[in-house]
Amino acid sequence: QGTVERFESLWNPNLNPSPGMDGASGTHSGPHTPRSLRPITPTSHSGVNSPVPFESPVAQVSPRDPPPGLARNRSDKFDEKGARPRRYSEAPFKMESAPNQLLEALRFFELPLPEKQKPAFCWGNQAAAQLKLLASYIVSVARDVRKVCLAEPRCVHVRAPCYILGDLHGNYLDLIAFEKALWRIGVALSPANFLFLGDYVDRGSNSLELIVYLLAQKALCPEKIVLLRGNHEMRTQNSYSAYNPCFRASCVNLFGDEMGIEVWECINKAFDTFPLAAVVDNSIFCVHGGIPSAELLGDAVSPTATVGLKNLVNNINKIPQDLPQPDPSFPGGNALAWDLMWNDPAPSEKECVDEVGNDGFGPNKNRGTAHVFNADALESFLRVFGLSHLVRAHEMRKTGFQVQQHNQMATIFSSSGYCGATNEACCILACEGKKRFIRLEH
């Protein structure tokens, strides 16, 4: 109940703080995770109550280059001694920040309120002014995350321990189940990093809430969370009405036409800047779709594996930081980005024998775009670049995961009951050189 009262006062700046609160400072609202520790009302930089949210403190990204090495996250900042400043570690505890305000709003969204006829995982009946304020927070945080991602390389280096999650597709209930199981004490306090492989929106009932949660966590902990781009993080996909609902429709249904389109477009501008690949501990190559065809890598192929890995990363990092239209059939598209987002493993050696070339790649007839690759192509890719495994998403699996292609590739799917199916949700924990599969139990 404390969360409800504070959230409603957050949305209505004309309400007074609840009794027992010291001004407008944050306090706890119940025995929940740390994301329930939020302020009562949004405050401006001057400390005066205002319905207009301010930009997140992590938006100030300096252009300084990181120390030499393998594709470190460009949002990492170092002082003269090579140490990270404390600004990022303190950001999650700035109660008045826009990301924290959004996380408290999502807590309200989760709670059932029978006395107000509001079921769980529903916004209820909200006034236009309240929805406008919520939209302004989302736009603010999406802009901040865009700035952070523009400072990241297209291929990010991630250190273990690391949780790797696949397609979520608007399944907010599963995301919260993962939260309670894996980072219940909060992302900032978790010893692990978190790598999401894309496809956050479309087909699920809570695409907007799910991506808002991830954007808020990314804004608070940019060094601990990596959000890769999937094939649904593009306008032509997430506005396709047959997805029922598509992401665009989810925004319009909550905020109306004008404000909904503004929120949808602003989040898509953040999508335009998401990285396209990650390497965990210089060993595990992670993408949404699959490995790119050899012809797109050019001079990345090297007889020395370690040099080859650096060349691979450098080639991926040549992809534009801001890529509104990755489809290579359109002006400004990028074939390498398209392969990373769309490629699939060949269904089986027998089925693909007549469809792949000598390099192990062939046309992806199932999707009508990009390529498929066989086990030989994957084995060659991993050997040349000194990698051990490929972890990807992009395809639903009944058990939530599948190990394929001579045990060198794992497909992860993190949304259960996908489109009415009976599949499970799964993630991977990469730790101490091992990969553990973790399935949700409902």
Side-chain angles (χ1 to χ4, degrees):
Q1 185 62 34
T3 296
V4 176
E5 292 170 354
R6 287 161 179 74
F7 180 67
E8 290 183 340
S9 64
L10 177 151
W11 268 6
N12 189 347
N14 297 320
L15 293 179
N16 294 321
S18 302
M21 299 288 291
D22 296 328
S25 62
T27 185
H28 71 87
S29 57
H32 303 300
T33 63
R35 67 188 177 99
S36 66
L37 307 181
R38 311 299 168 218
I40 299 174
T41 56
T43 54
S44 67
H45 289 290
S46 62
V48 179
N49 289 350
S50 167
V52 182
F54 56 85
E55 300 288 329
S56 166
V58 301
Q60 288 83 35
V61 179
S62 66
R64 292 181 59 189
D65 292 328
L70 170 65
R72 303 186 79 165
N73 187 324
R74 291 181 190 171
S75 67
D76 291 349
K77 301 299 175 293
F78 298 82
D79 60 18
E80 290 75 8
K81 296 181 180 180
R84 292 186 182 88
R86 297 178 60 190
R87 176 168 57 86
Y88 280 125
S89 62
E90 294 171 353
F93 306 103
K94 292 183 180 295
M95 303 296 186
E96 73 280 7
S97 69
N100 276 336
Q101 299 282 4
L102 277 181
L103 292 176
E104 180 68 3
L106 289 171
R107 177 67 71 197
F108 171 86
F109 167 77
E110 296 168 25
L111 291 175
L113 300 174
E115 68 279 9
K116 297 182 183 248
Q117 297 182 334
K118 174 195 166 311
F121 299 98
C122 173
W123 291 107
N125 297 319
Q126 304 298 337
Q130 295 171 326
L131 291 175
K132 184 177 180 180
L133 183 58
L134 177 62
S136 65
Y137 274 109
I138 295 173
V139 168
S140 172
V141 171
R143 288 173 177 169
D144 288 349
V145 171
R146 175 180 165 86
K147 294 174 186 177
V148 171
C149 291
L150 281 171
E152 292 180 336
R154 301 302 83 194
C155 185
V156 181
H157 177 65
V158 182
R159 293 182 178 89
C162 175
Y163 290 106
I164 307 173
L165 283 81
D167 294 37
L168 287 162
H169 281 296
N171 193 331
Y172 188 77
L173 277 70
D174 276 1
L175 178 63
I176 296 308
F178 278 118
E179 176 196 60
K180 292 178 179 178
L182 306 181
W183 60 93
R184 190 179 186 89
I185 60 173
V187 170
L189 300 178
S190 171
N193 292 311
F194 299 88
L195 173 59
F196 295 84
L197 300 183
D199 275 15
Y200 313 110
V201 299
D202 293 335
R203 293 196 173 103
S205 55
N206 298 122
S207 289
L208 177 61
E209 291 78 18
L210 187 144
I211 191 57
V212 165
Y213 177 97
L214 292 178
L215 291 175
Q217 295 286 12
K218 175 68 176 178
L220 291 172
C221 304
E223 294 179 346
K224 292 184 69 67
I225 289 187
V226 175
L227 300 176
L228 297 189
R229 189 176 188 178
N231 62 299
H232 281 261
E233 279 69 65
M234 48 187 291
R235 293 165 184 80
T236 53
Q237 287 290 308
N238 60 47
S239 62
Y240 184 50
S241 59
Y243 284 142
N244 191 32
C246 66
F247 178 48
R248 186 177 186 270
S250 297
C251 296
V252 170
N253 289 342
L254 180 61
F255 294 116
D257 289 336
E258 183 178 352
M259 194 160 50
I261 295 301
E262 180 185 359
V263 169
W264 173 78
E265 175 62 24
C266 197
I267 293 177
N268 269 286
K269 286 183 178 179
F271 289 162
D272 296 341
T273 65
F274 280 13
L276 293 156
V279 179
V280 178
D281 279 357
N282 296 344
S283 177
I284 306 172
F285 187 67
C286 301
V287 290
H288 178 74
I291 60 172
S293 54
E295 63 184 20
L296 297 176
L297 297 176
D299 59 358
V301 179
S302 168
T304 305
T306 54
V307 175
L309 177 57
K310 292 181 181 178
N311 287 343
L312 170 66
V313 172
N314 289 338
N315 265 263
I316 296 175
N317 285 339
K318 292 178 183 177
I319 297 173
Q321 302 287 109
D322 189 4
L323 192 62
Q325 176 52 273
D327 189 344
S329 63
F330 287 86
N334 187 281
L336 178 55
W338 197 248
D339 266 18
L340 294 171
M341 294 165 61
W342 280 91
N343 279 7
D344 287 312
S348 71
E349 295 299 327
K350 292 182 179 180
E351 293 179 41
C352 73
V353 66
D354 298 326
E355 299 184 10
V356 300
N358 293 332
D359 61 353
F361 289 87
N364 194 331
K365 295 182 178 181
N366 183 43
R367 298 188 186 273
T369 188
H371 300 90
V372 295
F373 56 92
N374 64 15
D376 291 339
L378 177 61
E379 184 177 358
S380 175
F381 177 89
L382 297 177
R383 183 183 67 254
V384 167
F385 298 121
L387 298 162
S388 64
H389 293 85
L390 166 68
V391 175
R392 43 93 64 178
H394 200 36
E395 293 180 294
M396 188 269 284
R397 294 293 183 257
K398 185 173 180 60
T399 59
F401 74 96
Q402 183 180 6
V403 178
Q404 301 167 264
Q405 298 198 344
H406 304 164
N407 297 326
Q408 293 182 310
M409 181 188 76
T411 296
I412 296 297
F413 203 81
S414 302
S415 175
S416 64
Y418 179 62
C419 293
T422 57
N423 68 290
E424 298 180 78
C426 183
C427 74
I428 286 178
L429 170 61
C431 182
E432 298 178 345
K434 299 180 181 179
K435 289 160 284 296
R436 298 174 174 88
F437 296 92
I438 303 173
R439 283 191 299 182
L440 286 182
E441 290 186 359
H442 292 281

